[in-house]
Amino acid sequence: MLKNYFKIAIAVLRRRKFFTFISLFGISFTLTILLVLTAFINKIAGDSYPDRKRDRSLYISRMQEINKTGGQSSGPLSYYFLSHYASSLKTPVKVGISSIFSGTNTYVNNKKIAVNYKYTNDAYWDIMEYDFIEGKAFNKQQVDNGDKVAVISEDMKQQYFGDVPSVVGKYIEADNVKYRVTGVVKNVPITSYMTYGDIYLPYTVSKSDVRKDKSYRGGFFGVLLAKSSADVPRMHDEYQSMIDRLPMESKEFDKIYSHADPYIVSYVDTGNEGKSGVMIVLTTIGIFALLVMLLPTLNLVNINITRIMERSSEIGVRKAFGASSVTLVYQFIVENIILTLLGGLIGVILSFIAIKVLNGMNLIPNLVLSINFTVLAIGLLICFLFGLISGVYPAWRMSKLNVVTALKAS
């Protein structure tokens, strides 16, 4: 019976090519948007390179100071705060510190190259698990000595040195300073702003001596690493307790907020204590996904009603020969599901093409999208539900048709 329904569905689709095109376009376009969006979200939230120890890490990305009149100031933390206060905690076994990446230019053979550099401490390299293509990270002694050494990305290696087998020991110039390359790491997408950089340098070579700045806020992030994931809640509480006891930096403010949070919570932090970044992101994605799916569903329902009503003569004849309403409803729902699954398959193909094009355009540096097959399966399930939901109401309308009315309508 299903085979017959499939043949009828294909025949109907071929009969009304314009309606078929509109329906397939709506379904496949919707699925393509959802798959590309989830590929983007999955890359940001799911790709743990190079911080693969997220299960036992907490991230410190900002501090907010507030006074009673509503005045406030918020931003990343200072190296002093992270090295003096965060590093005094007993639960973390390591405290990685890295700066916000900053931009400068360098020149090779009169060609300008944009460089994003980041300062780190030595513990940063013990916590982060970068994939080294060659060489290794700078060590504690080199950091303490203020050696002009650098770890560079593979993309920077290609831009600056060209196609050479090894660059370890060679010098790279940035911001009018020459640094000796100690290692080359696999690229990190710019969306991973806490770990992204073209050149990684010891914080001790910074032109502004960050160790002299005793203020709480500056331009650094912190990563607390626990011995095990079981210690993470205790590490969180210890950090919070330290913040609660932290003396006011200025009489201008009377309350300080700062949190050591899991990666995603820290990533979407709004910088405002009163606005949850997680809630804003979930609400935005939910509304967007609802609109993207709702509009094609309503459109599909209208098209299905029109298409089914045009088949009133067929319905009338079949009813006259004894076909029950249940049988006809079942047939039309199956036809609709076949249509939506066909649109879903087209959507999958379009998604692969769209992602390949986006990766080729390199709109976001080092961001390589890929299809998540779990999401793909969910997308096809959504298509199935799409077909079911958008087919029920038209099929119900059809089942209510009187045989005489249906034949007259023809």
Side-chain angles (χ1 to χ4, degrees), residues 18-291:
F18 179 71
F19 283 162
T20 301
F21 170 76
I22 294 296
S23 300
L24 291 178
F25 177 79
I27 297 165
S28 58
F29 188 67
T30 300
L31 187 61
T32 300
I33 291 176
L34 289 177
L35 285 176
V36 172
L37 176 65
T38 51
F40 186 77
I41 294 173
N42 183 59
K43 186 66 181 178
I44 292 176
D47 186 1
S48 59
Y49 174 74
D51 52 339
R52 298 186 173 108
K53 298 171 184 168
R54 287 181 184 173
D55 62 322
R56 55 190 183 105
S57 297
L58 290 176
Y59 302 78
I60 310 167
S61 60
R62 60 122 182 155
M63 175 179 285
Q64 185 178 16
E65 296 172 277
I66 300 177
N67 62 30
K68 291 179 181 176
T69 62
Q72 57 179 290
S73 183
S74 179
L77 302 111
S78 67
Y79 180 84
Y80 170 76
F81 173 84
L82 292 168
S83 61
H84 184 74
Y85 290 100
S87 296
S88 69
L89 303 180
K90 295 178 179 173
T91 308
V93 293
K94 296 280 183 181
V95 178
I97 303 174
S98 64
S99 70
I100 301 171
F101 66 81
S102 302
T104 185
N105 294 319
T106 188
Y107 294 87
V108 179
N109 299 326
N110 295 322
K111 177 187 175 186
K112 186 173 78 173
I113 300 175
V115 177
N116 289 313
Y117 59 94
K118 176 188 283 291
Y119 297 112
T120 79
N121 68 349
D122 57 288
Y124 177 85
W125 297 97
D126 296 330
I127 298 174
M128 299 300 167
E129 296 182 344
Y130 285 85
D131 293 336
F132 275 84
I133 297 170
E134 58 175 297
K136 58 184 179 181
F138 39 80
N139 55 38
K140 185 176 187 305
Q141 185 177 358
Q142 290 171 314
V143 174
D144 293 342
N145 292 341
D147 291 349
K148 290 183 171 55
V149 290
V151 173
I152 65 174
S153 69
E154 59 179 329
D155 186 47
M156 181 51 53
K157 172 191 172 184
Q158 181 64 36
Q159 289 189 63
Y160 194 91
F161 297 101
D163 191 15
V164 295
S166 175
V167 297
V168 172
K170 294 180 180 294
Y171 285 84
I172 184 170
E173 183 175 325
D175 207 14
N176 299 318
V177 179
K178 287 186 176 180
Y179 300 95
R180 182 169 57 82
V181 177
T182 65
V184 180
V185 295
K186 180 183 168 186
N187 293 329
V188 175
I190 197 170
T191 49
S192 301
Y193 62 89
M194 294 188 197
T195 54
Y196 165 78
D198 297 314
I199 301 181
Y200 302 85
L201 305 168
Y203 73 90
T204 47
V205 303
S206 170
K207 290 184 177 177
S208 59
D209 192 344
V210 296
R211 290 168 292 186
K212 292 182 179 177
D213 181 7
K214 305 296 183 185
S215 57
Y216 289 167
R217 290 189 290 111
F220 285 83
F221 304 122
V223 184
L224 307 180
L225 181 69
K227 187 175 182 180
S228 68
S229 57
D231 290 337
V232 171
R234 187 151 52 92
M235 188 164 67
H236 174 274
D237 294 343
E238 188 183 4
Y239 182 82
Q240 202 56 54
S241 176
M242 181 267 290
I243 291 296
D244 292 341
R245 290 183 280 104
L246 194 65
M248 290 297 118
E249 182 184 11
S250 165
K251 293 181 181 178
E252 182 184 354
F253 301 106
D254 49 29
K255 185 64 181 176
I256 293 176
Y257 294 100
S258 181
H259 306 285
D261 290 320
Y263 177 79
I264 292 300
V265 177
S266 183
Y267 185 90
V268 298
D269 192 294
T270 61
N272 188 327
E273 198 65 23
K275 295 180 180 177
S276 169
V278 173
M279 187 58 66
I280 291 174
V281 170
L282 290 178
T283 302
T284 303
I285 293 175
I287 292 174
F288 179 79
L290 181 64
L291 289 176

Side-chain angles (χ1 to χ4, degrees), residues 230-363:
D231 290 337
V232 171
R234 187 151 52 92
M235 188 164 67
H236 174 274
D237 294 343
E238 188 183 4
Y239 182 82
Q240 202 56 54
S241 176
M242 181 267 290
I243 291 296
D244 292 341
R245 290 183 280 104
L246 194 65
M248 290 297 118
E249 182 184 11
S250 165
K251 293 181 181 178
E252 182 184 354
F253 301 106
D254 49 29
K255 185 64 181 176
I256 293 176
Y257 294 100
S258 181
H259 306 285
D261 290 320
Y263 177 79
I264 292 300
V265 177
S266 183
Y267 185 90
V268 298
D269 192 294
T270 61
N272 188 327
E273 198 65 23
K275 295 180 180 177
S276 169
V278 173
M279 187 58 66
I280 291 174
V281 170
L282 290 178
T283 302
T284 303
I285 293 175
I287 292 174
F288 179 79
L290 181 64
L291 289 176
V292 167
M293 289 190 292
L294 183 63
L295 294 178
T297 301
L298 293 176
N299 181 51
L300 201 56
V301 169
N302 286 328
I303 290 176
N304 285 340
I305 290 174
T306 303
R307 189 167 55 195
I308 287 175
M309 290 306 149
E310 285 186 339
R311 296 167 66 186
S312 57
S313 59
E314 173 193 336
I315 296 168
V317 170
R318 292 191 61 184
K319 278 195 167 186
F321 279 89
S324 67
S325 295
V326 174
T327 301
L328 293 172
V329 167
Y330 179 65
Q331 175 191 333
F332 281 103
I333 289 178
V334 169
E335 285 182 16
N336 211 52
I337 290 174
I338 291 171
L339 173 68
T340 50
L341 287 179
L342 186 59
L345 290 175
I346 296 173
V348 171
I349 296 170
L350 290 178
S351 300
F352 275 101
I353 295 173
I355 285 177
K356 187 172 182 179
V357 170
L358 289 174
N359 288 337
M361 294 171 70
N362 196 27
L363 294 175

